[in-house]
Amino acid sequence: MGGWGDTWNPGSSNGNAYGYSETPVGAAKSTIATEGQIEAKEQDEEDPEDNIPLAHSLSKPPQSVQMYTITVGDPQKVGDPISAHIIYTVQTTTTNPTYKKQMFSVLRRYSDFVWLYDALCANNPGVIVPPIPEKNSLGRFQDAFVEARRLALNKCIQKMANHPGLCNDKDLQLFLESDNFALDIKHRKAEENTGLLSILSTSIASSKFYETDDWFDTKKAYLDSLEGQLKGLVRSMEAVAKQRAEQSQALSELADALEILSGADISKQLSNTFSQLAIVQKRARKLQDEQAQQDVVTFAGTVEEYGRMINSVRVAFASRIKCFGQWQNTENEFRRVKANHEKARKASKNPERLHYHIQEVADAERKAMHSKSEFERVTKLVKIEWQRFDMERVEDFKRSLEAFLEGMIGRQKELIGAWEEYQSLLLQRSGTNVSSNIATGDVDTSTISSAA
């Protein structure tokens, strides 16, 4: 597992974009610890600021690295009717020196993005991995759905690549530049399956987890509340979208009716008035459709993204619990090996046999200490990642709301301009009619002067 999250080191060049470093547990001299020594070590390793929540003593999370510019575009439907799917062109420009080229492009389908998300979560416990859009089997080839998914994937992969804890991940590099991606991930899955039995046995033997850090309980409650609020906001946005669709349909029907009236057997002036009014209504409908599309691109898209992001936060929290289980398993193994050593020491006088047991105990202790260190590192990392999540959430909603309001104001101004043009046309024609009537003597000029 990647080790970062212990000590902030801006000048680090160990390949870790976060700049964190940790001292290998195995570098310390291995000794057979008594229970009293273990307790003393645990007391020495406690946070010196016991009365201050650990999250408050952490530094501000590093900014995004901005090493990548990635675009997901050109969606194309491929395959026969049974296995049809959409492929996207993923174009990358990067300054990361580990890549073969600075500019390149590959073809990827939705399931490839799913693989990347799962791989990044597995490789980076404690990191809140930006989520991909959810799978949807209904209407997945409709233009509006394909475009909405493309935009979500584009935003997601950009965040993944520029995340300081993910930018150097080998699976990310494989996804972005592999020309034989299907074959490469098949080999990767085969390698992962070799350790499946040991992983399953570890999971089965994991100890039950009881939360002792109030910080996590508070944040879990906050996530539940935020999720409820976002779901309510999604329902409101859906209601607005439905109203926009109904209004757009009504404007379309009104424009059609006005066009029919303009072609009826009426005066030329009235016909032109109806015709111009129909043009205004068509323009209003066009602006309404554009606003509905912009709602999805800006505000609604961000709301849905953070609804998915909550699940990613929970995945990061769960990775900490998994680390705790691994720590408890290694502790149990250490105690078992140590007990066997004590029995062997009393029963055997063979120095070579005793040396073997001493080495076995030292290895078990090293693994236990490393697992504990990993649990503490992931705990700190989750808290740093929460700060990043909180700050990015505020900034993303701010940008989305600004774009949403600017677009709405711009379209309202355009619609007001259309109505003002129509009003000017009516006033112009009204003035022309009055002048014509005066010229023919149909209007009393003294009446007009007194009215003025």
Side-chain angles (χ1 to χ4, degrees):
M1 253 178 290
W4 59 276
D6 284 349
T7 308
W8 171 235
N9 180 10
S12 175
S13 58
N14 60 0
N16 189 333
Y18 256 106
Y20 286 96
S21 62
E22 63 176 1
T23 304
V25 178
K29 183 178 180 181
S30 299
T31 58
I32 303 174
T34 63
E35 293 295 331
Q37 288 173 326
I38 293 175
E39 291 177 1
K41 285 182 181 180
E42 291 175 348
Q43 291 175 0
D44 291 340
E45 291 171 357
E46 287 178 357
D47 192 337
E49 298 177 320
D50 290 330
N51 296 326
I52 301 176
L54 185 57
H56 294 175
S57 63
L58 293 172
S59 60
K60 184 179 179 181
Q63 297 297 319
S64 298
V65 292
Q66 302 301 328
M67 285 198 298
Y68 301 83
T69 300
I70 305 173
T71 57
V72 179
D74 192 25
Q76 299 289 334
K77 183 180 178 180
V78 298
D80 55 57
I82 297 177
S83 61
H85 57 275
I86 302 293
I87 59 171
Y88 305 88
T89 300
V90 181
Q91 296 182 326
T92 305
T93 302
T94 180
T95 57
N96 192 328
T98 63
Y99 284 72
K100 299 174 183 177
K101 300 177 183 178
Q102 289 188 336
M103 297 180 63
F104 45 89
S105 64
V106 292
L107 298 178
R108 297 290 181 262
R109 58 185 296 183
Y110 173 77
S111 59
D112 298 334
F113 286 87
V114 175
W115 176 89
L116 176 62
Y117 174 79
D118 292 339
L120 292 179
C121 288
N123 298 345
N124 303 274
V127 175
I128 300 175
V129 179
I132 61 172
E134 295 176 350
K135 185 175 183 179
N136 190 346
S137 300
L138 299 177
R140 59 195 179 104
F141 297 124
Q142 295 178 0
D143 292 343
F145 175 79
V146 171
E147 178 61 14
R149 171 175 279 185
R150 185 197 68 79
L151 290 170
L153 291 173
N154 188 82
K155 188 174 183 179
C156 165
I157 192 65
Q158 190 71 31
K159 283 190 172 186
M160 284 178 175
N162 289 308
H163 189 294
L166 303 175
C167 60
N168 289 321
D169 190 279
K170 294 302 180 183
D171 284 330
L172 174 65
Q173 184 172 357
L174 178 69
F175 175 87
L176 291 178
E177 71 175 3
S178 174
D179 292 324
N180 301 303
F181 186 69
L183 185 61
D184 288 339
I185 62 174
K186 185 177 180 181
H187 291 161
R188 185 67 59 88
K189 288 178 180 178
E191 294 173 1
E192 292 172 353
N193 288 337
T194 58
L196 183 60
L197 291 178
S198 61
I199 294 173
L200 288 175
S201 61
T202 300
S203 301
I204 293 171
S206 295
S207 303
K208 188 171 180 62
F209 179 77
Y210 296 96
E211 186 59 73
T212 58
D213 191 335
D214 291 341
W215 185 91
F216 284 94
D217 287 334
T218 301
K219 298 309 179 185
K220 288 175 183 177
Y222 176 82
L223 283 178
D224 292 340
S225 174
L226 178 61
E227 184 176 40
Q229 292 173 2
L230 290 177
K231 286 181 178 179
L233 192 52
V234 167
R235 288 192 294 269
S236 298
M237 297 292 290
E238 289 174 348
V240 170
K242 183 179 179 181
Q243 290 177 356
R244 288 194 191 284
E246 292 174 351
Q247 186 175 358
S248 177
Q249 181 63 29
L251 289 171
S252 177
E253 293 173 358
L254 177 58
D256 292 341
L258 290 170
E259 279 192 335
I260 293 172
L261 283 174
S262 67
D265 188 15
I266 54 179
S267 67
K268 183 178 180 181
Q269 180 183 358
L270 188 57
S271 175
N272 288 337
T273 300
F274 282 141
S275 178
Q276 291 297 322
L277 184 56
I279 292 174
V280 172
Q281 298 304 323
K282 287 182 179 180
R283 195 169 178 183
R285 183 200 173 183
K286 179 175 178 290
L287 293 173
Q288 191 73 15
D289 291 341
E290 288 178 358
Q291 185 61 50
Q293 184 178 5
Q294 188 68 13
D295 290 351
V296 175
V297 174
T298 56
F299 197 61
T302 302
V303 172
E304 291 178 355
E305 176 192 356
Y306 275 88
R308 299 189 300 269
M309 185 71 80
I310 288 175
N311 184 61
S312 289
V313 176
R314 289 173 174 150
V315 170
F317 283 11
S319 69
R320 170 177 170 266
I321 297 175
K322 182 178 179 181
C323 287
F324 175 83
Q326 293 171 344
W327 170 31
Q328 295 304 303
N329 289 338
T330 55
E331 284 284 352
N332 292 335
E333 178 65 12
F334 169 59
R335 284 191 286 267
R336 185 190 68 79
V337 171
K338 185 181 174 184
N340 290 341
H341 166 70
E342 290 296 330
K343 292 178 182 179
R345 185 175 62 83
K346 294 177 181 179
S348 176
K349 302 296 182 181
N350 188 339
E352 293 183 0
R353 187 67 178 171
L354 288 176
H355 177 74
Y356 169 77
H357 283 290
I358 290 173
Q359 187 60 43
E360 190 178 21
V361 171
D363 290 342
E365 182 188 20
R366 227 179 358 252
K367 291 178 181 178
M369 292 176 65
H370 177 75
S371 297
K372 179 184 178 183
S373 175
E374 178 69 6
F375 171 71
E376 293 171 347
R377 182 190 69 82
V378 171
T379 298
K380 292 180 181 180
L381 178 55
V382 169
K383 293 181 179 182
I384 294 175
E385 282 292 283
W386 178 274
Q387 293 181 50
R388 171 181 298 281
F389 163 74
D390 228 13
M391 291 188 295
E392 288 187 352
R393 177 172 56 86
V394 172
E395 288 300 318
D396 284 347
F397 271 97
K398 179 182 176 182
R399 284 193 295 266
S400 297
L401 189 56
E402 287 176 351
F404 172 75
L405 293 176
E406 287 173 0
M408 180 179 289
I409 291 171
R411 291 178 181 84
Q412 288 298 318
K413 287 181 178 180
E414 189 175 345
L415 183 58
I416 290 172
W419 278 108
E420 287 178 344
E421 290 177 7
Y422 180 68
Q423 182 188 32
S424 298
L425 181 64
L426 291 179
L427 292 175
Q428 182 180 356
R429 287 177 178 171
S430 177
T432 301
N433 290 339
V434 171
S435 299
S436 177
N437 290 336
I438 292 175
T440 57
D442 294 337
V443 176
D444 186 355
T445 57
S446 60
T447 304
I448 297 174
S449 300
S450 60

